[in-house]
Amino acid sequence: MALPAHVRLVEVGPRDGLQNEQRPVGVADKVRLVDDLTVAGLEYVEVGSFVSPAWVPQMAGSAEVFAGIRRQPGVVYAALTPNMKGFEAAMAAGVEEVAVFAAASEAFSRKNLNCSIAESLARFVPVLDAARARGVRVRGYVSCVLGCPYEGEVAPQQVAAVAGELFAMGCYEVSLGDTIGTGTAGKTRALFEVVGRAIPRERLAGHFHDTYGQALANVYASLLEGIAVFDSSVAGLGGCPYARGASGNVASEDVLYLLDGLGIHTGIELQALIAAGERICAVLGRDNGSRVARARRGA
Amino acid sequence: MALPAHVRLVEVGPRDGLQNEQRPVGVADKVRLVDDLTVAGLEYVEVGSFVSPAWVPQMAGSAEVFAGIRRQPGVVYAALTPNMKGFEAAMAAGVEEVAVFAAASEAFSRKNLNCSIAESLARFVPVLDAARARGVRVRGYVSCVLGCPYEGEVAPQQVAAVAGELFAMGCYEVSLGDTIGTGTAGKTRALFEVVGRAIPRERLAGHFHDTYGQALANVYASLLEGIAVFDSSVAGLGGCPYARGASGNVASEDVLYLLDGLGIHTGIELQALIAAGERICAVLGRDNGSRVARARRGA
């Protein structure tokens, strides 16, 4: 299978990344981060989340962030909306695309979403229905696709079942997340092989964590399976809640460096992306999690 | 092409790694490191270097290290010997296998070895001759195979020419080193495609640096090209002299995690390898450069 000519990077730093950072970031810095990212050429940014601030304090102010950003033509600005209350708040804030989040592991679903997989999917039905009625596209996430912190191994067939339900429900794209970063290249290929029988591969995305250093090898393995959409986080924002001090989301800069090297078009300018990451790292007072950014800084 | 069933890891931490660490390590700690590595199952360890201590002070005491290690049956303990003086010192120290080091880039050769590529190769001829006469195997290194800090791009044909000369001269294996870590998966495959026409692939090894985070993707790309020998450094010992604060050698633990995940046999036990890395990092007072080690520590 030939490598895809174009890859879309879904930037999850402002949401998935900042949600897992210790230090809270104010609305102005979030707005600046989103704007920096779109200036760098990102065509899809997950801006925030409409959830109870009691559960996720880092995502308070998502409506204000949506109000503050300078919308670029052709860029999708999305938000996570786990339920109808969140969906309605997102619509009130002028959000044009939303996402829902399920798990492939029963134990992870219960610990993280406080409900079974089936209950979480049932909760998304009214969100998908309401979105369809308003012409709003919905992206689906499945977590723990290559391992669960509580259950260990997760069968690809189980991932295919959950992803297939999200797709059948109306999600136009399903992102498969290696939440704990234990996946390796061969298992990644096998996963897309199995899930690709339930959902067309052009409707699948890869979401890799670099906790065990495997993320870029997994991205390359996915490209070889025809996957052309990847989630990543500028500067590797967001640690790993399951291993203190370890890496979480793969850094967007490092994925882009790989794609540039492979001659795959993304429309993203590396130096501008690095600058966006350096700026938010200064705000957070944390080291930059992108190896490319660190190498360029030291060179 | 099917993935190899067995991969040999060439552990370069005690030599290539420690040589590039700021803090000097005493003989006893070097001996302990080498012994820890072979207990973990490494079958090939580059123990030290026989060069002038004026040039490489970190490698002083290599003879004492060779005298102190507990040799395990079936393990190769090698040393770098850039010239006849070093070769003779290595023989006096009871070294059984040696290595020579050339560059694929003319500028790098002049800056690092103080001579042209042709001159460096000519200097190896008596070493190879003497080694052959004594029945000592010689491994060859070529650096800058996917980029040079002074010249930028390096043509695969140029790498093939230098590697081919080392092979013709008698090196039983030639390791291709991405010294500055700028290589990406597609270029890695193209490199082995070209060099594989000059030297049988089972005589080639990959030596990747993780400066830009690409090392494991490059290892996976190499496996897809039938390469079954990789150099790596426990705990990612050895920084990158061309980018301050950036990563250098890929961590052995992270390569092993990938190989284990692919079901490729190495004979190495991950937990024991991690322990060896943690111990030497404590001696050096540095953070562990292996993501696997950090993830396991935090989990």
Side-chain angles (χ1 to χ4, degrees), chain A residues 225-237:
Chain A
E225 292 296 321
I227 303 303
V229 182
F230 296 96
D231 303 352
S232 62
S233 179
V234 68
L237 292 180

Side-chain angles (χ1 to χ4, degrees), chain A residues 1-4 201-202 204 221-230:
Chain A
M1 193 180 284
L3 295 179
R201 289 183 193 213
E202 63 269 24
L204 290 172
S222 305
L223 290 167
L224 294 172
E225 292 296 321
I227 303 303
V229 182
F230 296 96

Side-chain angles (χ1 to χ4, degrees), chain A residues 182 184-187 189 210-214 216-217 220-221 224 242-244 246-247 254 257-258 261-262 291-292 295 298-299, chain B residues 182 184-187 189 210-214 216-217 220-221 224 242-244 246-247 254 257-258 261-262 291-292 295 298-299:
Chain A
T182 53
T184 42
K187 290 175 187 173
R189 296 184 75 160
D210 206 30
T211 319
Y212 289 79
Q214 308 295 316
L216 286 193
Y220 182 59
L224 294 172
Y242 308 100
R244 269 167 54 86
S247 312
D254 301 2
Y257 192 90
L258 170 62
L262 291 168
R291 297 205 169 195
V292 169
Chain B
T182 52
T184 41
K187 290 175 186 172
R189 298 184 74 160
D210 206 29
T211 318
Y212 290 79
Q214 308 295 316
L216 286 192
Y220 181 60
L224 294 173
Y242 308 100
R244 269 167 54 87
S247 312
D254 300 1
Y257 192 91
L258 170 63
L262 291 167
R291 298 207 168 193
V292 169

Side-chain angles (χ1 to χ4, degrees), chain A:
Chain A
M1 193 180 284
L3 295 179
H6 175 85
V7 156
R8 173 158 50 88
L9 286 192
V10 169
E11 174 58 49
V12 299
R15 202 281 302 170
D16 192 20
L18 292 185
Q19 174 171 328
N20 289 299
E21 291 288 338
Q22 291 291 318
R23 194 184 289 201
V25 173
V27 167
D29 283 316
K30 287 183 183 174
V31 167
R32 172 66 188 253
L33 173 60
V34 173
D35 287 343
D36 284 352
L37 290 165
T38 56
V39 165
L42 264 302
E43 46 181 313
Y44 193 113
V45 181
E46 203 181 62
V47 172
S49 180
F50 289 85
V51 290
S52 164
W55 282 91
V56 190
Q58 295 93 334
M59 286 297 109
S62 283
E64 289 80 355
V65 177
F66 269 95
I69 56 179
R70 274 183 300 178
R71 289 174 191 261
Q72 307 281 343
V75 175
V76 175
Y77 299 88
L80 197 69
T81 59
N83 50 39
M84 274 309 294
K85 195 171 164 198
F87 179 78
E88 280 156 12
M91 292 305 103
V95 176
E96 291 156 359
E97 175 163 331
V98 301
V100 296
F101 186 97
S105 139
E106 202 61 68
F108 191 87
S109 185
R110 287 186 189 277
K111 292 229 186 194
N112 252 53
L113 309 173
N114 293 302
C115 61
S116 69
I117 296 172
E119 284 162 348
S120 76
L121 294 172
R123 202 178 287 170
F124 300 148
V125 172
V127 176
L128 268 292
D129 287 346
R132 192 178 303 108
R134 297 183 69 128
V136 168
R137 299 209 304 172
V138 184
R139 193 169 191 253
Y141 284 103
V142 183
S143 65
C144 296
V145 300
L146 287 161
C148 165
Y150 312 113
E151 290 181 5
E153 296 270 329
V154 172
Q157 290 74 14
Q158 170 72 5
V159 179
V162 178
E165 289 216 44
L166 287 173
F167 188 65
M169 211 177 267
C171 291
Y172 74 98
E173 181 170 286
V174 181
S175 169
L176 305 185
D178 181 14
T179 310
I180 56 171
T182 53
T184 42
K187 290 175 187 173
T188 298
R189 296 184 75 160
L191 175 70
F192 282 117
E193 174 64 34
V194 172
V195 182
R197 286 181 219 138
I199 303 176
R201 289 183 193 213
E202 63 269 24
R203 298 297 180 186
L204 290 172
H207 178 119
F208 296 105
H209 282 215
D210 206 30
T211 319
Y212 289 79
Q214 308 295 316
L216 286 193
N218 292 342
V219 168
Y220 182 59
S222 305
L223 290 167
L224 294 172
E225 292 296 321
I227 303 303
V229 182
F230 296 96
D231 303 352
S232 62
S233 179
V234 68
L237 292 180
C240 177
Y242 308 100
R244 269 167 54 86
S247 312
N249 284 298
V250 67
S252 307
E253 299 90 324
D254 301 2
V255 177
L256 179 60
Y257 192 90
L258 170 62
L259 297 172
D260 282 348
L262 291 168
I264 294 174
H265 177 260
T266 60
I268 306 165
E269 209 275 294
L270 180 60
Q271 212 47 51
L273 183 60
I274 290 173
E278 291 285 47
R279 190 185 163 89
I280 188 67
C281 285
V283 170
L284 286 162
R286 62 160 272 178
D287 195 16
N288 197 313
S290 159
R291 297 205 169 195
V292 169
R294 292 208 299 270
R296 284 285 171 92
R297 198 196 293 160

Side-chain angles (χ1 to χ4, degrees), chain B residues 204-296:
Chain B
L204 290 173
H207 178 119
F208 296 105
H209 281 215
D210 206 29
T211 318
Y212 290 79
Q214 308 295 316
L216 286 192
N218 292 342
V219 169
Y220 181 60
S222 305
L223 290 167
L224 294 173
E225 291 296 321
I227 303 303
V229 182
F230 295 96
D231 303 352
S232 62
S233 179
V234 68
L237 291 180
C240 177
Y242 308 100
R244 269 167 54 87
S247 312
N249 283 298
V250 67
S252 306
E253 299 90 323
D254 300 1
V255 178
L256 179 59
Y257 192 91
L258 170 63
L259 297 172
D260 282 349
L262 291 167
I264 295 174
H265 177 259
T266 60
I268 306 165
E269 209 275 294
L270 180 61
Q271 211 48 50
L273 183 60
I274 290 173
E278 291 282 49
R279 188 184 164 88
I280 188 66
C281 285
V283 170
L284 286 162
R286 61 160 272 177
D287 195 17
N288 197 315
S290 157
R291 298 207 168 193
V292 169
R294 292 208 300 271
R296 283 286 170 91

